[in-house]
Amino acid sequence: MIKDIATPLRTKAILEKHGFSFKKSLGQNFLIDLNILNRIVDFAELTENSGAIEIGPGIGALTEQLAKRAKKVVAFEIDGRLLPILKETLNPYPHVKVIHNDVLKVNVSEVIKSEFEADQDLMVVANLPYYVTTPIIMKLLSERLPIRGMVVMLQKEVADRISASPGTKDYGSLSIAIQYYTNAKTVMIVPKTVFMPQPNVDSAVIRLTRREKPPVEVVNEEFFFEVVRASFAQRRKTIFNNLASFFNGQLEKKQVEEVLVYAQIDPKRRGETLAIQEFAVLSDHFYKIISE
Ligand code: SAM
């Protein structure tokens, strides 16, 4: 009988055997609760033909549960000290491949091509290192990888921002960026006690399901995201003030106001009240004016 990795006793024994000490700077908070792990994997809805991509396997707690349900698992781990440990803990699962690298530096698209079958159902499933949650999610989404979606554990505060609706305090450029690529839903709030060591912040699991196509069509995607970010540059300022600063040197204040009025956006509104469709109309109008 193979003993599961994710129990407090087994985790402690593995760490002691290898003399492993946690690196806070790498966001190392390992899961020690099988029930939570199983629920995370449930949310990914894997089949026996699915492939799973994990970021940061740690000592393999989640990797092992993924391996029990997926046809193949590829995991990226930055910390070389974990490699000999993973070799041992994941020995019973030959269909797991651990790649020693920083996921932010990897060409994930190439890895998918070489490690998975063409058209294989793929999900990213991870307990993310909290110091780089947003860059990792944004990298994987903006590269438009052939994945069905992601189920990831992250700081509750970031999960709140990702799934926020217009008009709420958590709504911002991150909500829009992620909702542009996916349907986002917080599926579980997780207590600190299921980690070793316990993190300082509360955690949540979100499920991101990739959209077939974005909810809005824009002329220039990069410019759209720039306008969105600029609109939230100073949250207490009006959209007019934020955009007037952003286009300073390129457009007169009067022109900025005219574009807002033309796009039927009251210049006195704040960015947090605009729906993604309104940002799309607005950025297309600005794009037209500045490319004339
Ligand atoms: N999956 C394990 C679990 O749930 O117990 C560990 C999760 S722990 C929160 C995050 C893991 O990500 C650590 O193993 C850490 O070394 C690794 N990590 C941190 N930054 C990384 C990066 N840029 N690329 C790949 N792995 C990273």
Side-chain angles (χ1 to χ4, degrees), residues 126-140:
N127 170 18
L128 291 174
Y130 290 178
Y131 75 105
V132 275
T133 342
T134 316
I136 291 176
I137 297 178
M138 286 314 297
K139 171 187 161 96
L140 300 178

Side-chain angles (χ1 to χ4, degrees), residues 38-287:
N38 277 316
R39 287 178 63 198
I40 294 174
V41 181
D42 284 346
F43 283 120
E45 295 177 350
L46 301 172
T47 72
E48 60 201 29
N49 290 319
S50 302
I53 299 167
E54 187 189 0
I55 292 109
I59 59 168
L62 174 59
T63 329
E64 173 179 57
Q65 304 307 323
L66 291 169
K68 286 183 188 172
R69 301 216 218 161
K71 189 168 186 185
K72 173 143 193 197
V73 183
V74 171
F76 299 102
E77 176 54 63
I78 198 172
D79 188 348
R81 298 174 309 151
L82 289 165
L83 276 272
I85 305 184
L86 287 163
K87 197 160 192 272
E88 200 175 296
T89 57
L90 299 175
N91 183 48
Y93 309 99
H95 56 303
V96 173
K97 174 155 186 173
V98 176
I99 297 178
H100 177 207
N101 211 336
D102 177 346
V103 69
L104 293 174
K105 296 195 179 134
V106 173
N107 183 336
V108 183
S109 183
E110 284 300 317
V111 173
I112 289 178
K113 262 192 218 140
S114 60
E115 298 296 337
F116 293 103
E117 295 158 23
D119 294 330
Q120 188 165 5
D121 173 61
L122 294 180
M123 279 298 275
V124 170
V125 187
N127 170 18
L128 291 174
Y130 290 178
Y131 75 105
V132 275
T133 342
T134 316
I136 291 176
I137 297 178
M138 286 314 297
K139 171 187 161 96
L140 300 178
L141 293 180
S142 59
E143 287 181 5
R144 295 179 192 273
L145 304 173
I147 55 173
R148 174 161 48 88
M150 305 191 201
V151 174
V152 290
M153 171 98 75
L154 34 57
Q155 306 92 308
K156 181 177 173 302
E157 171 257 323
V158 179
D160 289 344
R161 286 199 280 132
I162 286 177
S163 45
S165 312
T168 62
K169 72 168 181 15
D170 292 321
Y171 182 68
S173 51
L174 184 64
S175 330
I176 295 172
I178 293 192
Q179 292 173 29
Y180 181 81
Y181 297 108
T182 70
N183 271 310
K185 190 169 187 301
T186 299
V187 289
M188 189 164 45
I189 308 293
V190 181
K192 291 178 184 160
T193 47
V194 301
F195 299 93
M196 186 187 287
Q198 295 188 16
N200 297 326
V201 295
D202 290 325
S203 301
V205 174
I206 56 164
R207 181 173 54 201
L208 306 175
T209 311
R210 201 166 65 111
R211 294 178 188 273
E212 287 283 306
K213 62 182 187 72
V216 288
E217 251 181 63
V218 291
V219 180
N220 183 318
E221 221 168 67
E222 210 176 304
F223 183 77
F224 164 73
F225 286 123
E226 277 176 27
V227 170
V228 170
R229 274 195 299 273
S231 304
F232 288 99
Q234 296 202 38
R235 291 187 74 95
R236 296 163 66 118
K237 283 194 175 177
T238 61
I239 186 132
F240 168 73
N241 278 326
N242 273 325
L243 291 179
S245 314
F246 178 66
F247 288 112
N248 187 20
Q250 236 178 334
L251 295 175
E252 301 289 330
K253 278 189 172 182
K254 182 110 200 63
Q255 287 175 294
V256 173
E257 190 176 359
E258 275 166 15
V259 174
L260 281 160
V261 172
Y262 189 67
Q264 299 189 330
I265 309 283
D266 181 344
K268 291 200 209 67
R269 284 172 67 182
R270 293 203 185 140
E272 68 205 45
T273 69
L274 268 70
I276 193 165
Q277 288 76 7
E278 292 181 297
F279 276 116
V281 172
L282 194 59
S283 85
D284 277 358
H285 279 304
F286 276 114
Y287 191 71

